[in-house]
Amino acid sequence: MNPDPIQSEDPKPVVLVVDDSLDVQRLLRARLRSEDLDLICADNGADGVALARARLPAIILLDLDMPDVDGFEVLRALKDDQRTLEIPVIVLSGLQNAQDKVTAFDLGAVDYITKPFDLMELRCRVRAALRLHHLVQMLAQRAQIDGLTGLWNRAYFDSRWKEEFSRAVRYDRPVSLSLLDIDHFKSVNDTYGHPAGDAVLQAFCKVLLRESRHTDIACRYGGEEFALIMPDTAPADAAGVCDRIRAAVAALVWSRHPDRAVTVSAGVAGGVPVDGFTPVQWIEAADEQLYSAKHGGRNRVMVRDTGANPLTLARAG
Amino acid sequence: MPDEPMSPLRPLISEFADEPELKELVQLFTSELPDRVRAIENAWSTREVTVLRRMVHQLRGASAGYGYPTIGHAAGAIEDRLRELGSTDEPGWLSLRRQVDQLVNLCRSAAMGVPRA
């Protein structure tokens, strides 16, 4: 997952062909060579389902009439799995089987292509399905993005933090969470107006993305508060990242108010999760550290090793 | 009764023989046709309905894509007949022979029509 959704790169879409006929696979490969996509093939239904789960293709071209696990069974398996549920499936079917197409649509297919393929039709339908996939992806992502800053929003944070936390528990790896809050933000809004406040939030986000690492997940937690999830990161390293952010924000020069500095406080909870600790308690621990950073004079980072030694307090900044 | 004289096969050329995008694939497809002919003949004589159905089904789906719609039609006709045919339908099975011959001849003609790569 890219920490900056707005700037995420768009790799070639993966198109999965599930067809037991090698002739058809070769033909599709040749006919779709001019399209900018990564074509992968499965010879049978079972492999098709496995490959779909492993690669999460943008679209699937699915033959209905296959021995053993046929196309209908593959469709059911795809639609039964949360991961593959949304992948548009185009059914490859003979002209003669109208009922098959109806059944396939009932099972969730989005389109069909009849064999033998008409070249132009094949390309158009593949393009249309790719466009659909792209739009669905974009909508899903938009629902998780904060409009002002372009960071992941609170809803995304909530689900991603749970995921990263349970991953850390499962693999016995450290994870760190930082809550960052812009100091005296209310006074920026009150003194210079809300547009200026928005500009501060946006400038802060740029610094947050620039100074955090590619694997960190930056989210707007609410108002002027931000969350940075740092997978596989011990608390001391997380404190280092946050202090880099803190220093870079403090060093910003505001062209219209060069005498005015904006600072940020951060609270970090990190470590290998111990038994019984919940993701919510972990957020509370980070929040406590943020609270003490504020009370300690702001423009600082406070860290708690919430893992091995839950009582240790460290301090940076 | 003397055998009916076989009409000499004339090479069948793919509609896409000159398409750069497909040229090599068409050659590959046709070079594999003699093996398919053998397998189809074999399936017919040993009455392996499932094998025969699978083979003609695949030819039906792919042949036109390689520029041989007539092979696709011939294979399709057999597939449709096989759907209707009961496993114990002796006269029905024997009457398939003519269609199998037709398909086999078309495949042989196609194999003749392409110079070796």
Side-chain angles (χ1 to χ4, degrees), chain B residues 3 21 41 53 61 97 106 109-110:
Chain B
D3 280 349
E21 189 182 79
E41 297 264 33
R53 199 185 90 74
R97 182 68 235 185
L106 283 169
S109 303

mmCIF file of all heavy atoms in Angstrom, chain B residues 3 21 41 53 61 97 106 109-110:
data_model
loop_
_atom_site.group_PDB
_atom_site.id
_atom_site.type_symbol
_atom_site.label_atom_id
_atom_site.label_comp_id
_atom_site.label_asym_id
_atom_site.label_seq_id
_atom_site.Cartn_x
_atom_site.Cartn_y
_atom_site.Cartn_z
ATOM 1 N N ASP B 3 -13.919 -49.043 -53.608
ATOM 2 C CA ASP B 3 -13.922 -47.846 -52.758
ATOM 3 C C ASP B 3 -14.239 -46.601 -53.564
ATOM 4 O O ASP B 3 -13.846 -46.474 -54.709
ATOM 5 C CB ASP B 3 -12.545 -47.648 -52.109
ATOM 6 C CG ASP B 3 -12.396 -48.570 -50.916
ATOM 7 O OD1 ASP B 3 -13.409 -49.172 -50.507
ATOM 8 O OD2 ASP B 3 -11.257 -48.703 -50.427
ATOM 9 N N GLU B 21 0.810 -10.166 -36.874
ATOM 10 C CA GLU B 21 0.541 -10.439 -35.460
ATOM 11 C C GLU B 21 0.288 -11.934 -35.212
ATOM 12 O O GLU B 21 0.569 -12.458 -34.144
ATOM 13 C CB GLU B 21 -0.703 -9.624 -35.068
ATOM 14 C CG GLU B 21 -1.019 -9.592 -33.602
ATOM 15 C CD GLU B 21 -2.299 -8.786 -33.328
ATOM 16 O OE1 GLU B 21 -3.411 -9.311 -33.519
ATOM 17 O OE2 GLU B 21 -2.166 -7.624 -32.935
ATOM 18 N N GLU B 41 -9.275 -39.297 -34.511
ATOM 19 C CA GLU B 41 -9.542 -40.620 -35.106
ATOM 20 C C GLU B 41 -9.543 -41.695 -34.024
ATOM 21 O O GLU B 41 -10.409 -42.563 -33.970
ATOM 22 C CB GLU B 41 -8.442 -40.966 -36.126
ATOM 23 C CG GLU B 41 -8.367 -40.022 -37.308
ATOM 24 C CD GLU B 41 -9.139 -40.554 -38.506
ATOM 25 O OE1 GLU B 41 -10.175 -41.226 -38.286
ATOM 26 O OE2 GLU B 41 -8.715 -40.296 -39.647
ATOM 27 N N ARG B 53 -15.383 -35.164 -27.426
ATOM 28 C CA ARG B 53 -16.138 -33.928 -27.209
ATOM 29 C C ARG B 53 -15.193 -32.777 -26.841
ATOM 30 O O ARG B 53 -15.314 -31.669 -27.329
ATOM 31 C CB ARG B 53 -17.180 -34.118 -26.090
ATOM 32 C CG ARG B 53 -18.277 -33.059 -26.134
ATOM 33 C CD ARG B 53 -19.235 -33.177 -24.972
ATOM 34 N NE ARG B 53 -18.827 -32.410 -23.816
ATOM 35 C CZ ARG B 53 -18.915 -31.084 -23.716
ATOM 36 N NH1 ARG B 53 -19.391 -30.362 -24.704
ATOM 37 N NH2 ARG B 53 -18.520 -30.469 -22.630
ATOM 38 N N GLY B 61 -13.853 -23.641 -30.595
ATOM 39 C CA GLY B 61 -13.607 -22.347 -29.974
ATOM 40 C C GLY B 61 -12.440 -21.598 -30.586
ATOM 41 O O GLY B 61 -12.444 -20.371 -30.634
ATOM 42 N N ARG B 97 -19.378 -40.662 -38.357
ATOM 43 C CA ARG B 97 -18.156 -40.917 -39.111
ATOM 44 C C ARG B 97 -17.956 -39.907 -40.250
ATOM 45 O O ARG B 97 -16.861 -39.406 -40.461
ATOM 46 C CB ARG B 97 -18.197 -42.354 -39.668
ATOM 47 C CG ARG B 97 -16.985 -42.803 -40.448
ATOM 48 C CD ARG B 97 -15.785 -42.939 -39.533
ATOM 49 N NE ARG B 97 -14.666 -42.137 -40.011
ATOM 50 C CZ ARG B 97 -13.453 -42.146 -39.452
ATOM 51 N NH1 ARG B 97 -13.220 -42.869 -38.359
ATOM 52 N NH2 ARG B 97 -12.489 -41.433 -39.943
ATOM 53 N N LEU B 106 -10.519 -31.398 -43.413
ATOM 54 C CA LEU B 106 -10.269 -29.951 -43.324
ATOM 55 C C LEU B 106 -8.958 -29.687 -42.571
ATOM 56 O O LEU B 106 -8.169 -28.831 -42.967
ATOM 57 C CB LEU B 106 -11.436 -29.258 -42.614
ATOM 58 C CG LEU B 106 -12.690 -29.043 -43.457
ATOM 59 C CD1 LEU B 106 -13.857 -28.611 -42.575
ATOM 60 C CD2 LEU B 106 -12.436 -27.994 -44.544
ATOM 61 N N SER B 109 -6.112 -30.510 -44.807
ATOM 62 C CA SER B 109 -5.957 -29.471 -45.842
ATOM 63 C C SER B 109 -5.237 -28.263 -45.258
ATOM 64 O O SER B 109 -4.387 -27.648 -45.896
ATOM 65 C CB SER B 109 -7.320 -29.015 -46.364
ATOM 66 O OG SER B 109 -8.035 -30.107 -46.853
ATOM 67 N N ALA B 110 -5.610 -27.902 -44.028
ATOM 68 C CA ALA B 110 -4.990 -26.748 -43.387
ATOM 69 C C ALA B 110 -3.510 -27.024 -43.153
ATOM 70 O O ALA B 110 -2.656 -26.153 -43.358
ATOM 71 C CB ALA B 110 -5.687 -26.435 -42.078
#
